[in-house]
């Protein structure tokens, strides 16, 4: 089983942990496809604990930062989702949607210009596929979002995800359909900065795959992320 793949073929820091971070995959493998000598890095007391850790190039960090010690010169792992057909971005159902102190439900559809959830909102996403076209999904302040059997697809320019402040998140991916098993997916043809960021300590449940084949996934928190998930897989460029 593979739970993390850093896809970039040549960059340093393709998979990087810093500042007491812990990446735990007790029954799965962590891969860096980068041929760089520093394609897989742990710094500042960070650790990777996995069933198997492998780097196409090299790794950098203290011996205590890895359990087990990574294997080097591994053949790069092919993107396992490369043949998946992307959802249709389609026509806009909503434009520049902003919710402040909102309690209620949202329906699947195409959200053009992004969606901002702010204040003390409590939003439930109904099952289905949500397309964010030419804009971000931002959840801010003390808002809470939840939803089961939901997939979030990001297309166009500047589409990305941001969980900020003290937001609470509990989400699970669809079990069937075009995004079966995929929770977050950014289009291979999307343009602009595509960093997906989690900055809240209360992102407790992310069941599914985070799929960013041309983009980066960044977590900066002081507590666990996705600890209440049956599984969370990450396939990202970095």
């Amino acid at each position: 089983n593979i739970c993390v793949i850093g896809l970039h073929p040549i960059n340093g820091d393709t998979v990087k942990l810093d500042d007491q971070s812990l990446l735990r995959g007790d029954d799965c493998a962590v891969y860096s496809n980068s041929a760089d000598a520093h394609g897989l890095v742990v710094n500042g007391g960070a650790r990777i604990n996995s069933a198997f850790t492998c780097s196409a190039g090299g790794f950098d960090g203290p011996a205590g930062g890895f359990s087990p010690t990574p294997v080097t010169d591994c053949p790069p792992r092919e993107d396992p989702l490369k043949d998946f057909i992307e959802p249709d971005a389609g026509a806009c159902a909503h434009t520049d949607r902003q919710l402040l102190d909102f309690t209620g439900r949202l329906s699947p559809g195409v959200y053009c210009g992004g969606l901002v959830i702010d204040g003390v909102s409590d939003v439930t996403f109904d099952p289905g596929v949500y397309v964010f076209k030419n804009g971000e999904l931002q959840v801010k302040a003390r808002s809470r979002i939840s939803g089961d059997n939901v997939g979030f697809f990001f297309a166009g320019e500047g589409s990305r995800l941001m969980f900020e402040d003290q937001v609470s998140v509990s989400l699970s991916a669809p079990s069937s359909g075009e995004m079966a098993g995929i929770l977050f997916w950014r289009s291979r043809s999307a343009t602009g900065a595509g960093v997906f960021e989690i900055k809240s300590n209360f992102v407790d449940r992310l069941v599914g795959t985070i799929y960013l084949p041309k983009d980066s996934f960044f977590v900066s928190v002081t507590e666990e992320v996705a600890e209440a998930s049956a599984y969370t897989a990450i396939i990202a460029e970095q």
Side-chain angles (χ1 to χ4, degrees):
N1 293 327
I2 299 175
C3 48
V4 174
I5 306 177
L7 293 172
H8 203 289
I10 58 174
N11 274 8
D13 298 342
T14 289
V15 177
K16 181 181 180 180
L17 282 76
D18 204 351
D19 194 19
Q20 304 295 322
S21 296
L22 169 64
L23 176 61
R24 190 176 73 239
D26 296 331
D27 299 312
C28 59
V30 174
Y31 274 82
S32 168
N33 277 356
S34 175
D36 191 273
H38 303 284
L40 175 66
V41 177
V42 297
N43 287 330
R47 290 176 294 137
I48 296 177
N49 293 349
S50 66
F52 181 70
T53 302
C54 208
S55 175
F59 67 91
D60 185 30
F66 301 95
S67 179
T69 300
V71 174
T72 57
D73 297 320
C74 290
R77 296 303 301 233
E78 187 174 56
D79 177 355
L81 303 181
K82 68 180 181 64
D83 294 326
F84 274 42
I85 298 173
E86 296 186 351
D88 182 9
C92 302
H94 310 273
T95 302
D96 298 330
R97 190 83 183 270
Q98 298 193 37
L99 304 175
L100 177 63
D101 300 333
F102 169 86
T103 297
R105 311 182 73 91
L106 292 179
S107 299
V110 180
Y111 290 74
C112 292
L115 170 65
V116 178
I117 301 172
D118 203 350
V120 289
S121 297
D122 189 346
V123 177
T124 300
F125 289 91
D126 287 335
V129 174
Y130 294 77
V131 176
F132 299 95
K133 185 176 179 180
N134 300 327
E136 303 179 6
L137 170 59
Q138 296 184 55
V139 187
K140 306 168 70 172
R142 299 180 67 88
S143 294
R144 182 182 189 279
I145 66 169
S146 60
D148 289 317
N149 293 305
V150 292
F152 298 89
F153 181 71
F154 297 79
E157 184 176 359
S159 57
R160 67 182 195 125
L161 172 75
M162 174 74 78
F163 292 152
E164 298 184 25
D165 305 318
Q166 301 182 61
V167 305
S168 298
V169 178
S170 176
L171 299 170
S172 70
S175 57
S176 61
E178 59 190 348
M179 287 192 65
I182 305 176
L183 185 59
F184 304 132
W185 180 354
R186 190 171 195 244
S187 172
R188 303 173 188 95
S189 62
T191 58
V195 179
F196 279 47
E197 297 187 66
I198 294 177
K199 295 185 175 181
S200 170
N201 285 333
F202 308 106
V203 180
D204 298 329
R205 184 168 171 265
L206 299 174
V207 179
T209 298
I210 297 167
Y211 182 43
L212 312 174
K214 300 293 185 182
D215 301 289
S216 300
F217 181 59
F218 179 75
V219 177
S220 178
V221 298
T222 57
E223 301 292 340
E224 290 184 285
V225 166
E227 73 274 13
S229 308
Y231 77 96
T232 306
I234 303 168
I235 303 170
E237 186 173 69
Q238 289 189 272

